[in-house]
Amino acid sequence: QRVEMVEFMRKNFGDRFRVYGANWAMNSNIVYPHVEVLVYNSAKVAITHNHFIRSGYQSDRCLRSMGCGIYTIAQYYPEINKQFNPTVLDTWIDFNMLAEETERALSNEERRKTIADSGHEWVRENHSWQNRINEIKLLIQKYESKSSATIQ
């Protein structure tokens, strides 16, 4: 579906749409993190497309784009509303909805900037390396306490 999404967006947005990453006819290079930041910082909208649809799963590109402060439209997956709320990103279910959300974002700079800023701040507050380290520590403590409680 990723190829079809890119073709759809190229057809509907022409030169305004660009795709980055390996194995594309245009811009077919791996995008390293230092270049990825430049790409996001020069764009108005980032679109995420997951490799598969699974409850609670998202591409890490979603957090990376939001962390760069760009307005992000994420592909919908089950339980996305448990992880995000509409103040930090928008979602799309099908290509027509993606085009509508993209047009809406491009035509309303104030709304786009408000959501992008909210998403950026939310990622900084909730998804830093320190947050991840703390989550891992809690998991270790949880399983250590379960393990010691069952050993007699």
Side-chain angles (χ1 to χ4, degrees):
Q1 186 189 33
R2 185 174 290 207
V3 172
E4 291 85 2
M5 186 268 296
V6 168
E7 290 171 355
F8 176 86
M9 294 302 285
R10 280 184 176 154
K11 178 181 174 193
N12 285 277
F13 289 89
D15 291 339
R16 296 187 299 164
F17 177 78
R18 293 199 179 97
V19 62
Y20 295 87
N23 301 320
W24 295 104
M26 302 169 93
N27 298 321
S28 190
N29 296 312
I30 294 173
V31 178
Y32 294 100
H34 67 283
V35 175
E36 182 180 36
V37 171
L38 298 174
V39 168
Y40 288 140
N41 288 341
S42 67
K44 292 183 179 179
V45 174
I47 299 166
T48 68
H49 186 289
N50 296 325
H51 290 285
F52 50 86
I53 304 298
R54 180 179 296 158
S55 179
Y57 171 80
Q58 72 190 4
S59 166
D60 58 328
R61 289 180 189 95
C62 186
L63 294 176
R64 294 196 322 252
S65 63
M66 292 170 67
C68 286
I70 186 172
Y71 167 84
T72 301
I73 308 173
Q75 184 180 25
Y76 178 85
Y77 54 86
E79 298 187 10
I80 191 171
N81 295 328
K82 289 184 179 180
Q83 295 175 322
F84 299 98
N85 69 60
T87 65
V88 300
L89 60 67
D90 282 327
T91 60
W92 63 277
I93 295 172
D94 59 37
F95 298 156
N96 290 324
M97 185 177 180
L98 174 59
E100 290 169 10
E101 291 297 331
T102 302
E103 283 293 356
R104 184 166 72 147
L106 293 173
S107 66
N108 188 336
E109 185 173 349
E110 183 178 336
R111 179 181 180 279
R112 184 178 73 237
K113 183 167 175 22
T114 298
I115 292 173
D117 290 348
S118 295
H120 180 244
E121 189 60 32
W122 181 80
V123 167
R124 289 176 55 89
E125 290 175 4
N126 297 287
H127 294 282
S128 66
W129 281 110
Q130 188 60 53
N131 289 81
R132 290 294 172 262
I133 291 166
N134 292 342
E135 288 174 4
I136 292 169
K137 285 179 178 178
L138 288 173
L139 285 171
I140 291 169
Q141 290 171 354
K142 176 182 172 183
Y143 288 104
E144 281 180 341
S145 66
K146 280 185 178 182
S147 174
S148 63
T150 58
I151 298 174
Q152 297 181 4

